[in-house]
């Protein structure tokens, strides 16, 4: 069933007038059809079946996997004059396995702004990346106020999980803390950490209630994590504070650190997060972790 959140249909322009918007609709329709026809059922976890004649996925399969109406998706591939929400575009991008360039193309054709964390950020300058590298073996990263991880050094990349292996759109500390088992298992006081992060997220979101990226993150957390729903319903609020943290790293064992936020601007936006070792044993273990990380990869770009 199509909902008002998915689509608003409008009548064709008088006299069949064409313009840039119509060209984009037809380009969008062609792009979606091409991507749908070039994804096998096996790639999205569907059985092929013996009587399949459609190349790639069927329209109803894309609609089902994206949680949208079949009629609505059919209209989209027919270049009908309809408005598409960013939530639906995000779902289609995930279903069709779009890479970052294809995802950006999808949003551009739809005339929408992608609310997910970008692969680059104006706050993450070459100088900031150099600082991250120079801080090693101290784990450090740059996060925005939504907990998206915008950049990180090699030690941080192996501290809680193999962060390089996590898709860029999933590199969010809230998402990882509530849904990603390797990350979760590395946090010694997980429940306390989750509750504190939910409280901080609620407090910060008060200034971003109308922004799609914040609403999409909240919806995703509510959908994917009963633990988050429970913490969210507490209606607790909190501020960012420096504190001691304990991790159980898969490579070097227990690590205790002092968490410090260093803001990169006058407002509570992007910040550099550092984890300074809390004792000599943790310092030695972070040095070993850094050595492992150096052998595995160069400085990450994001």
């Amino acid at each position: 069933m199509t909902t008002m959140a998915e689509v608003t249909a409008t009548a064709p322009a008088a006299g069949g007038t064409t313009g840039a918007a119509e060209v984009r609709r037809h380009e969008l329709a062609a792009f979606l059809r091409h991507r749908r026809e070039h994804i096998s059922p096996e790639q999205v976890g569907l059985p092929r079946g013996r009587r399949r004649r459609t190349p790639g996925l069927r329209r109803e399969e894309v609609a089902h996997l994206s949680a949208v109406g079949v009629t609505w998706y059919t209209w989209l591939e027919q270049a009908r004059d309809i408005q598409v929400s960013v939530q639906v575009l995000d779902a289609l991008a995930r279903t069709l396995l779009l890479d970052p360039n294809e995802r950006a193309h999808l949003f551009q054709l739809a005339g929408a702004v992608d609310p997910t964390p970008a692969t680059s950020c104006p706050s993450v300058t070459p100088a900031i990346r150099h600082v991250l590298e120079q801080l090693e073996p101290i784990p450090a990263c740059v996060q925005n106020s939504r907990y998206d991880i915008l950049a990180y050094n090699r030690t941080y990349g192996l501290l809680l999980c193999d962060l390089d292996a996590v898709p860029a759109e999933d590199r969010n500390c809230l998402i990882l803390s509530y849904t990603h088992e390797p990350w979760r298992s590395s946090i010694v006081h997980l429940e306390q950490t989750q509750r504190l992060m939910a409280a901080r997220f609620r407090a910060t979101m008060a200034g971003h209630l109308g922004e799609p990226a914040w609403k999409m993150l909240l919806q995703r957390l509510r959908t994917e994590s009963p633990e988050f729903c429970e913490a969210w319903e507490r209606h607790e609020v909190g501020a960012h504070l420096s504190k001691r943290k304990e991790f159980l790293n898969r490579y070097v064992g227990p690590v205790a650190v002092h968490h410090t936020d260093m803001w990169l601007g006058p407002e509570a936006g992007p910040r550099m997060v550092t984890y300074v070792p809390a004792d000599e044993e943790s310092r030695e273990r972070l040095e070993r972790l850094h050595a492992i990380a150096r052998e595995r990869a160069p400085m990450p770009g994001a």
Side-chain angles (χ1 to χ4, degrees), residues 148-161:
D148 296 324
I149 301 170
L150 306 176
Y152 55 92
N153 62 20
R154 290 169 292 193
T155 319
Y156 186 91
L158 287 185
L159 183 62
L160 289 100
C161 72

Side-chain angles (χ1 to χ4, degrees), residues 177 187 189-198 243 245:
S177 296
I187 301 174
H189 304 291
L190 179 61
E191 183 177 355
Q192 177 185 350
T193 298
Q194 290 174 326
R195 186 170 172 177
L196 180 60
M197 291 180 69
K243 61 173 295 184
K245 291 189 174 183

Side-chain angles (χ1 to χ4, degrees), residues 202-221:
R202 178 179 284 280
T204 309
M205 188 173 180
H208 304 272
L209 293 176
E211 297 178 24
W214 290 77
K215 293 191 290 186
M216 286 181 62
L217 176 57
L218 178 59
Q219 181 59 38
R220 181 178 177 186
L221 287 163

